[in-house]
Amino acid sequence: MEPTPEQSPHHAYPDHWEADVVLRDGGTARIRPITTDDAERLVSFYEQVSDESKYYRFFAPYPRLSDRDVHRFTHHDYVDRVGLAVTIGGEFIGTVRYDRIDDRGRPASAPADEAEVAFLVQDAHQGRGVASALLEHIAAVARERGIRRFAAEVLPANNKMIKVFRDGGYTQRRSFEDGSVHLTLDLEPTEKSLAVQRGREQRAEARSVQRLLAPGSVAVIGTGRTPGGVGRTVLRNLLAAGYTGRTYAVNRAFDEGLATLDGVPAHRSLGEIDEQVDLAVIAVPAHRVPEAVADCGEHGVQGLVVLSAGYAERGAEGRELQRELVRQARSYGMRIIGPNAFGIINTAETVRLNASLAPESPARGRIGLFTQSGAIGIALLSGLHRRGAGLSSFISAGNRADVSGNDFLQYSFEDPDTDVALLYLESLGNPRKFTRLARRTAAVKPVVVVKGARHSGTNPPGHAVPVSRIPDTTVSALMRQAGVIRVDTVTEMVDAGLLLAGQPLPAGPRVAILGNSESLGLLTYDACLAEGLRPRPPVDLTTAASPQDFRDALAEALADGTCDAVIVTAIPWVGENGEAETGDGQVLAEALTKAVAGGSAKPVAVVHVEIGGLAEALAAASSTAAPRPRTAASRTVSPEAGADRAAATAPEATNDRAGTTTPATATARTGPTAPGTATATAALGTPASVTPASVTPADATADPEAPPRPGRIPAYPAAERAVRALAEAVKYAQWRRQAAVPGKIPEFLDDTIDEAGAAALIEAQLATAPDPRGRPLTHDEARELLGRYGIDVRPTLPAPDPEAAVAAAARLGYPVALKTTAPHLRHRADLGGVRLDVADEEALRRAYGELTDLLGKPAELLPVVQAMAPRGVDTVVRASIDAAAGAILSFGLAGAPSELLGDTAHRLVPATDRDAAELIRSIRAAPVLFGWRGSAPVDTAALEELLLRLSRLVDDHPEVVSVALEPVVVAPQGLTVLGASVRLAPPPARSDVGPRRLPNY
């Protein structure tokens, strides 16, 4: 909304204060500055507020606003006087205002840094978190305008408002004066206020997804009058799934006399429906979507699934249509899945929702699935069905204009019906937030991700998000730092999901291999070594092994304390007549499940070759399993209770609509799954799953402290696939154990860091660089800045001629190094641009002459002299800021290992002591640092400290957009930074800090 000419010309309308937010109940609202155009809205809003709320606001009966009041509350300078409003459908539902005051409570201007604040929320919208959202946003505005404290007067009986201030997490002081409670809030964000904000964000966004997945009623807008078509297909699928809520068919072209269609009420518009409609599935041409959205908004629909295509996937014009669609929906408080979506599915018995183009719902299971591609979603649904696995929730987001993978993580985190979250992503709208949410979710349940469009450098059509410039290997490293299981293909995603959903996490990398084929066992053994596991020699049961032999061998392996997981390999066995038999897969499946039921909680996977019916038998066993209790103390996986519905057959991939999702149950939530528990059905491909047949409902009375037995046994058609899935589980389990005790930032850093001094240097340097791209620092400037953080860079002195070189060496002391600093020769000792261990003046003059004779004139080479450093391993340490991913810390060995082979490790900033330790140990060349081939181990503790100091620098000062320390020579005792380059620039905008807001794609 633009200001009128009456608005102060000195303070332009701050449109960056506008924001869409998700409220506590999952609905959306818009927060924006109040302008002079809002007089009528303000009066109308005030008329709908109760007398009690008015009394709490003004401390006296105040039935109506005077013209003077209206003028005061709608005229702001956006600096000393600011008002914000929360709107739904263009109308106010809440307001907040601050007025800057001096230390005596009188109106003031800067530099006064205190303001009086007051809120008013319509009674009908109280309890939705409106005031809490307003407090976050008005506090951010105040900080931007130099205000550091809020003062508020609240009547003692106004408990709701007192609670808003108390629960905000800000440092506050409270006193009782003249019959009212006087509150003072320090607006500097605290660890507690940030935790409160993120907790509210998580609950609100999770609730907004839950409202979409578990609606009480659904209207399909655009239902065709004849069979076929998208709308009629969705209606048919809703009915076939046995949806437990109310269903309506809506089409403005229906004949007036048409009362029902396919047995459900038929209407020409939502206005004809007498009851509340919670979810609308829109299947009309794109040009008619705005009309349908307006109809939904005016009749209180809570969420939309837009199947219609013709948006951002069509180019710039379609992208603008898509943005307008989101703006329109959010103005009514609705969230959107789509457009160009495939639909959503919820298999919970209390919901049974299939609002998608998939003709049948998948079986119930404990895997949640999110996809940005309809074609991939179709493939995943089909593959999961073939492997007998079920889902808890499924969302196909299409162009992902609103609801995204981040929202799905928020929902999955606390959904008790989801034990594993699988995500196919083609873009990350907010990578920093994704990493934060993934880390929190992965701490309680596995998150498996496939990232499409990894190497294109652009976003897929329809995904209007920042493009990250960091390599895909860096993205993968950052995901793994957050505990995400990053795989390359959807087949690998399902392979891993199947194992994680049905089996306990392994305690370590030791693997027992047993089976009736020596060759298959050896292939499995080799695959384990290739994946970094520690396999025991395979146990060959011979081709004559019976199912009972398999059972006995598996039971023995599970009881063996020297292994952490078991892989069973099986081929058709040889009959008495010497001919190969396909064997009875059902018999072998029963033998394996009985062995697992009586053994310890270790993961088991099966690799089989042409054993007829084995995979099907394992899948069938899982579908008849009885439910078992899940306990917070359990570290292992408990199987899913009663996946008793038939698996669904996915449709053929005839278009690229967003995939389908099987959302979780609509029943009350009991919090996130306890660490270590993961019970689910499983995955795609050919693997199948099995739940031990011996488990009965009597297990519900078992000792709650006893770990539940392993669940479904996944089966794979190739050893490499099974081993790769197991290796991912091993790495994830190790991450979980480490994440249970988070890393720390050592306190000693605080005593050796001059944050204020560094800030002053940065401010002074940027003041001399009007270019918004910033400027690189000179060598001396970089040394001074890094020195404020305890990073000592060895000085270099210029040597434009031999005499200057001799003078520099005399100043520094022999031995010295003579090297060129020309950009094309920097760090290129292989080109002869470096002379080391120059012992005296004669040697220095000779080296100088050789250098200039070989490579060119001094003016071209820019030679410098530097004192020699102790011998050690040359490394390189870097930090940079990516517009999408944020600040990244990198480490590698200098030269070919990092530059040619890409052997570089990465971590997000801020890094902890654990991150620093893992960073230097995660490169492939790490053995060089720890005494490889008899060399002396280097001082890795000093290297870790350097990494922590650099991380702290770029975290404290986002203006430091790039730092490269090269080389860093790490000796057996200490290290030496020989070169440093630093670039300063205005910091890029961050989308993961500040008050809660929905992204605008």
Side-chain angles (χ1 to χ4, degrees):
M1 174 174 288
E2 295 298 328
T4 67
E6 296 179 56
Q7 211 71 54
S8 169
H10 302 294
H11 306 293
Y13 177 80
D15 54 7
H16 64 287
W17 292 352
E18 295 182 356
D20 294 316
V21 298
V22 183
L23 301 178
R24 182 179 301 156
D25 61 359
T28 65
R30 186 159 186 80
I31 295 178
R32 64 168 177 81
I34 297 175
T35 74
T36 54
D37 288 337
D38 291 320
E40 292 185 8
R41 293 185 185 89
L42 181 66
V43 171
S44 174
F45 158 72
Y46 194 76
E47 289 174 349
Q48 298 177 64
V49 175
S50 70
D51 291 340
E52 180 183 49
S53 294
K54 294 174 182 175
Y55 185 88
Y56 284 152
R57 170 64 176 84
F58 293 103
F59 290 27
Y62 216 89
R64 63 185 57 85
L65 296 175
S66 66
D67 291 343
R68 181 179 179 183
D69 292 329
V70 173
H71 184 276
R72 176 190 171 204
F73 292 147
T74 56
H75 286 68
H76 307 96
D77 62 9
Y78 302 132
V79 177
D80 300 325
R81 302 181 310 281
V82 173
L84 300 180
V86 180
T87 68
I88 294 179
E91 299 302 319
F92 287 6
I93 66 167
T95 63
V96 64
R97 173 186 173 88
Y98 81 63
D99 293 89
R100 195 188 301 257
I101 57 176
D102 60 20
D103 56 1
R104 301 179 65 178
R106 299 175 302 186
S109 298
D113 61 358
E114 184 170 333
E116 187 175 39
V117 66
F119 298 75
L120 187 60
V121 178
Q122 264 185 24
D123 296 67
H125 294 277
Q126 292 178 10
R128 300 186 65 197
V130 174
S132 299
L134 279 173
L135 177 58
E136 288 180 22
H137 283 261
I138 197 68
V141 168
R143 289 193 298 269
E144 180 182 326
R145 297 310 195 200
I147 293 171
R148 298 291 172 257
R149 291 180 305 281
F150 274 162
E153 300 290 336
V154 185
L155 288 174
N158 193 356
N159 294 319
K160 292 181 180 178
M161 200 66 244
I162 292 175
K163 188 174 188 299
V164 168
F165 287 119
R166 185 186 67 221
D167 294 347
Y170 299 102
T171 302
Q172 62 179 270
R173 295 175 295 279
R174 185 186 309 185
S175 62
F176 188 77
E177 302 173 8
D178 300 326
S180 66
V181 178
H182 181 78
L183 294 167
T184 302
L185 275 71
D186 292 335
L187 299 183
E188 188 65 27
T190 65
E191 185 176 340
K192 181 179 179 182
S193 69
L194 185 60
V196 167
Q197 176 179 314
R198 288 179 172 173
R200 288 171 173 166
E201 174 192 66
Q202 189 276 320
R203 291 187 294 273
E205 292 179 358
R207 172 60 179 160
S208 72
V209 176
Q210 195 269 343
R211 295 204 316 178
L212 291 163
L213 292 176
S217 56
V218 177
V220 181
I221 301 177
T223 306
R225 290 169 291 180
T226 58
V230 173
R232 192 67 175 267
T233 298
V234 173
L235 180 63
R236 181 197 65 199
N237 296 343
L238 275 167
L239 298 176
Y243 172 56
T244 59
R246 301 178 304 278
T247 306
Y248 304 96
V250 178
N251 190 332
R252 66 177 185 178
F254 283 160
D255 296 332
E256 292 187 7
L258 183 65
T260 63
L261 185 71
D262 290 342
V264 304
H267 300 277
R268 292 164 57 87
S269 69
L270 288 178
E272 297 180 2
I273 302 175
D274 296 331
E275 299 174 299
Q276 169 72 35
V277 173
D278 296 330
L279 176 70
V281 180
I282 298 180
V284 300
H287 69 274
R288 287 183 47 204
V289 170
E291 175 189 348
V293 172
D295 193 22
C296 292
E298 291 166 3
H299 292 91
V301 173
Q302 296 179 349
L304 307 174
V305 176
V306 181
L307 306 181
S308 311
Y311 288 90
E313 76 277 8
R314 298 288 181 87
E317 182 178 351
R319 184 175 294 111
E320 186 53 41
L321 287 175
Q322 182 168 298
R323 289 172 176 160
E324 181 56 37
L325 168 65
V326 174
R327 284 192 290 266
Q328 183 187 16
R330 288 180 180 173
S331 72
Y332 288 109
M334 299 181 293
R335 298 211 68 181
I336 295 177
I337 291 175
N340 195 31
F342 186 75
I344 60 177
I345 301 175
N346 186 345
T347 62
E349 191 62 31
T350 54
V351 182
R352 299 201 298 272
L353 173 74
N354 181 6
S356 77
L357 297 175
E360 294 185 57
S361 288
R364 284 189 63 194
R366 304 198 65 83
I367 294 177
L369 178 61
F370 177 92
T371 173
Q372 290 181 359
S373 163
I376 295 297
I378 294 168
L380 286 168
L381 286 175
S382 178
L384 287 165
H385 168 62
R386 289 196 309 271
R387 296 169 79 164
L391 294 174
S392 62
S393 58
F394 174 85
I395 293 178
S396 167
N399 291 1
R400 203 217 54 202
D402 183 20
V403 173
S404 67
N406 285 348
D407 296 296
F408 184 73
L409 283 177
Q410 298 278 42
Y411 173 77
S412 299
F413 171 72
E414 67 172 25
D415 179 29
D417 291 337
T418 298
D419 289 333
V420 180
L422 308 183
L423 296 92
Y424 171 78
L425 305 175
E426 294 179 346
S427 61
L428 297 176
N430 189 336
R432 295 189 229 206
K433 182 176 178 179
F434 174 83
T435 301
R436 170 169 57 85
L437 300 185
R439 178 188 292 271
R440 183 192 58 192
T441 305
V444 296
K445 59 186 69 173
V447 177
V448 187
V449 171
V450 172
K451 176 72 167 60
R454 291 179 294 167
H455 304 296
S456 65
T458 60
N459 289 317
H463 295 193
V465 298
V467 177
S468 176
R469 299 302 179 188
I470 58 177
D472 182 68
T473 53
T474 306
V475 174
S476 182
L478 300 182
M479 283 190 176
R480 290 198 178 277
Q481 181 188 3
V484 173
I485 300 171
R486 168 80 184 272
V487 294
D488 293 331
T489 67
V490 292
T491 299
E492 290 178 358
M493 177 171 71
V494 175
D495 284 346
L498 185 62
L499 181 71
L500 292 163
Q503 293 293 300
L505 295 178
R510 303 170 301 176
V511 181
I513 303 169
L514 61 93
N516 62 350
S517 168
E518 181 181 11
S519 298
L520 189 54
L522 290 175
L523 286 173
T524 305
Y525 182 89
D526 291 341
C528 286
L529 291 176
E531 293 293 338
L533 301 177
R534 293 165 51 191
R536 293 170 48 186
V539 175
D540 182 14
L541 303 179
T542 77
T543 56
S546 67
Q548 183 62 42
D549 294 329
F550 273 91
R551 175 180 177 179
D552 294 341
L554 178 55
E556 181 179 352
L558 291 173
D560 188 347
T562 65
C563 76
D564 305 305
V566 183
I567 296 179
V568 178
T569 64
I571 64 171
W573 52 82
V574 178
E576 294 181 358
N577 59 3
E579 296 181 0
E581 299 179 0
T582 57
D584 187 351
Q586 178 68 42
V587 176
L588 181 56
E590 290 177 359
L592 296 177
T593 57
K594 289 178 180 178
V596 170
S600 62
K602 297 177 183 178
V604 177
V606 173
V607 177
H608 69 98
V609 177
E610 297 300 330
I611 296 187
L614 177 59
E616 293 78 4
L618 292 173
S622 69
S623 68
T624 58
R628 289 180 293 177
R630 297 158 58 197
T631 67
S634 169
R635 185 182 59 81
T636 57
V637 183
S638 49
E640 187 267 328
D644 53 2
R645 291 175 50 212
T649 303
E652 295 296 323
T654 56
N655 56 41
D656 196 16
R657 294 188 177 278
T660 47
T661 326
T662 317
T665 182
T667 55
R669 311 210 178 286
T670 57
T673 306
T677 60
T679 95
T681 76
L684 180 132
T686 17
S689 342
V690 64
T691 305
S694 62
V695 177
T696 67
D699 285 26
T701 61
D703 180 4
E705 296 300 321
R709 297 167 187 151
R712 303 165 176 182
I713 302 174
Y716 301 87
E720 295 77 12
R721 288 174 58 179
V723 170
R724 193 173 297 119
L726 179 59
E728 295 293 355
V730 169
K731 287 182 283 189
Y732 170 68
Q734 181 182 9
W735 181 90
R736 276 271 288 267
R737 290 189 292 269
Q738 293 176 344
V741 183
K744 300 177 181 178
I745 298 178
E747 295 180 359
F748 73 83
L749 293 180
D750 296 331
D751 301 329
T752 57
I753 285 177
D754 181 8
E755 183 177 347
L761 287 173
I762 292 169
E763 182 179 3
Q765 295 298 339
L766 285 178
T768 65
D771 189 338
R773 294 173 296 180
R775 61 177 288 258
L777 298 186
T778 66
H779 175 75
D780 290 338
E781 291 169 344
R783 284 191 68 232
E784 184 179 9
L785 176 60
L786 293 168
R788 300 285 183 175
Y789 273 72
I791 300 173
D792 182 26
V793 181
R794 182 150 294 201
T796 61
L797 298 178
D801 55 55
E803 299 305 322
V806 171
R811 179 178 171 184
L812 296 173
Y814 289 99
V816 297
L818 176 67
K819 53 187 180 182
T820 64
T821 59
H824 66 288
L825 295 172
R826 185 183 295 272
H827 309 308
R828 292 299 306 274
D830 57 310
L831 297 181
V834 179
R835 297 291 188 274
L836 302 177
D837 286 318
V838 180
D840 52 33
E841 180 179 339
E842 180 182 355
L844 179 59
R845 290 183 182 276
R846 184 170 58 251
Y848 199 99
E850 293 173 352
L851 205 65
T852 53
D853 289 344
L854 177 65
L855 299 174
K857 298 178 181 180
E860 300 170 345
L861 304 182
L862 306 176
V864 297
V865 175
Q866 190 173 53
M868 282 296 298
R871 294 287 186 176
V873 177
D874 289 0
T875 65
V876 57
V877 175
R878 293 189 176 94
S880 61
I881 295 182
D882 181 79
I888 300 169
L889 188 66
S890 304
F891 170 76
L893 298 191
S898 59
E899 296 177 12
L900 180 62
L901 303 178
D903 187 16
T904 305
H906 312 273
R907 292 293 185 274
L908 285 175
V909 170
T912 66
D913 53 357
R914 175 175 293 159
D915 292 328
E918 292 176 351
L919 192 60
I920 65 175
R921 289 164 174 81
S922 57
I923 60 173
R924 296 189 298 277
V928 174
L929 303 171
F930 296 93
W932 184 61
R933 288 190 172 181
S935 62
V938 301
D939 192 348
T940 54
L943 186 54
E944 291 170 17
E945 181 179 330
L946 174 67
L947 290 165
L948 290 170
R949 290 183 182 278
L950 183 58
S951 168
R952 178 75 177 272
L953 170 65
V954 296
D955 189 46
D956 290 345
H957 306 285
E959 300 89 351
V960 181
V961 296
S962 175
V963 179
L965 307 180
E966 183 180 5
V968 177
V969 182
V970 190
Q973 295 293 327
L975 58 77
T976 308
V977 181
L978 296 182
S981 61
V982 178
R983 184 174 186 83
L984 303 181
R990 292 189 59 174
S991 55
D992 63 326
V993 295
R996 289 173 284 160
R997 64 172 61 215
L998 286 170
N1000 292 313
Y1001 299 129

